Amino acid sequence: DGGITQSPKYLFRKEGQNVTLSCEQNLNHDAMYWYRQDPGQGLRLIYYSQIVNDFQKGDIAEGYSGSREKKESFPLTVTSAQKNPTAFYLCASTPLTAPRDYGYTFGSGTRLTVV
Amino acid sequence: AQSVAQPEDQVNVAEGNPLTVKCTYSVSGNPYLFWYVQYPNRGLQFLLKYITGDNLVKGSYGFEAEFNKSQTSFHLKKPSALVSDSALYFCAVRALNSGNTPLVFGKGTRLSVIA
């Protein structure tokens, strides 16, 4: 079955550590997105990529980094510079050729907790 | 700039009664509008979309939404609520002629259907 796989499902990070969240899709979608979800704040865009080697900042990019070296993969690194990283992280994708006809396909999310 | 408002954090409705989850939007030009549903610790699932055409859009699980251009609204409705409809609902928008800019999501409305 085609879809988006996020791993791990749960992740614990110590203060001062960098961690990388994985997002892989086999839908042949061009564009991929990372959102952060906090209670009562909805989804906020961290980074997005419309094609391979494209990487664009969203509304809350500070403290995050990433890359898009392969079409199917869009990892996100939460760096030690991110002041409050505890949140639920969602990855999404959509085909670029017809984004108007498709909603996004979302992964199941990664819950990151700082301990 | 694009924005979405979901004025209610929580909606409670009795099973079998009709439900409405409200959404208003702001974009330059014509909008693409979406509704998604999220169950606990899961990603978002697509419910329905409005692009052009009939103002009443039918989607998954018996949900529908009415596009009202003059009121810039896109309220989600269902004639008869089920307990299993209890979840978090998100409205999202992007402008028709904004290229491939990412969707902007509302803060979400938690629907609780009481048996």
Side-chain angles (χ1 to χ4, degrees):
Chain A
D1 287 340
I4 296 184
T5 301
Q6 289 188 241
S7 62
K9 191 170 180 65
Y10 299 96
L11 185 59
F12 297 91
R13 190 194 93 170
K14 293 183 179 179
E15 295 276 357
Q17 277 186 338
N18 294 351
V19 292
T20 297
L21 282 58
S22 172
C23 178
E24 304 278 334
Q25 55 101 356
N26 60 4
L27 300 165
N28 200 33
H29 285 177
D30 306 285
M32 298 185 74
Y33 308 84
W34 274 106
Y35 287 91
R36 170 180 170 143
Q37 184 177 12
D38 297 280
Q41 296 194 50
L43 273 67
R44 293 182 291 167
L45 183 66
I46 303 172
Y47 273 108
Y48 65 104
S49 167
Q50 297 191 0
I51 54 173
V52 174
N53 294 323
D54 172 65
F55 194 72
Q56 302 188 46
K57 292 183 179 180
D59 301 319
I60 56 164
E62 186 175 351
Y64 300 95
S65 66
S67 63
R68 184 86 183 279
E69 298 177 358
K70 296 187 294 183
K71 187 175 185 178
E72 62 270 22
S73 179
F74 192 40
L76 179 74
T77 297
V78 184
T79 74
S80 57
Q82 169 49 237
K83 301 301 182 190
N84 183 22
T86 295
F88 190 52
Y89 291 85
L90 287 163
C91 181
S93 70
T94 191
L96 198 63
T97 51
R100 299 174 181 83
D101 296 324
Y102 288 83
Y104 290 175
T105 300
F106 280 86
S108 294
T110 293
R111 186 166 297 281
L112 173 63
T113 303
V114 174
V115 296
Chain B
Q2 304 167 146
S3 66
V4 173
Q6 293 182 241
E8 302 154 316
D9 293 334
Q10 173 96 27
V11 171
N12 298 320
V13 63
E15 187 175 30
N17 283 2
L19 70 87
T20 299
V21 182
K22 296 180 180 178
C23 170
T24 59
Y25 66 90
S26 175
V27 295
S28 298
N30 293 320
Y32 288 130
L33 290 153
F34 298 84
W35 274 103
Y36 290 85
V37 60
Q38 185 183 34
Y39 298 99
N41 292 313
R42 303 292 296 174
L44 278 64
Q45 298 176 28
F46 171 80
L47 273 181
L48 51 79
K49 65 181 184 290
Y50 172 82
I51 299 176
T52 60
D54 195 346
N55 288 344
L56 185 63
V57 178
K58 295 190 182 298
S60 306
Y61 313 119
F63 283 93
E64 57 190 29
E66 186 169 11
F67 172 65
N68 187 317
K69 188 172 184 177
S70 63
Q71 297 185 4
T72 62
S73 68
F74 189 55
H75 301 331
L76 181 70
K77 300 181 179 183
K78 188 173 183 181
S80 179
L82 300 172
V83 172
S84 57
D85 292 330
S86 298
L88 189 57
Y89 290 81
F90 289 95
C91 183
V93 69
R94 61 183 288 270
L96 174 67
N97 295 319
S98 63
N100 293 306
T101 56
L103 287 177
V104 173
F105 288 83
K107 293 187 176 182
T109 297
R110 187 166 301 281
L111 173 67
S112 180
V113 181
I114 304 161

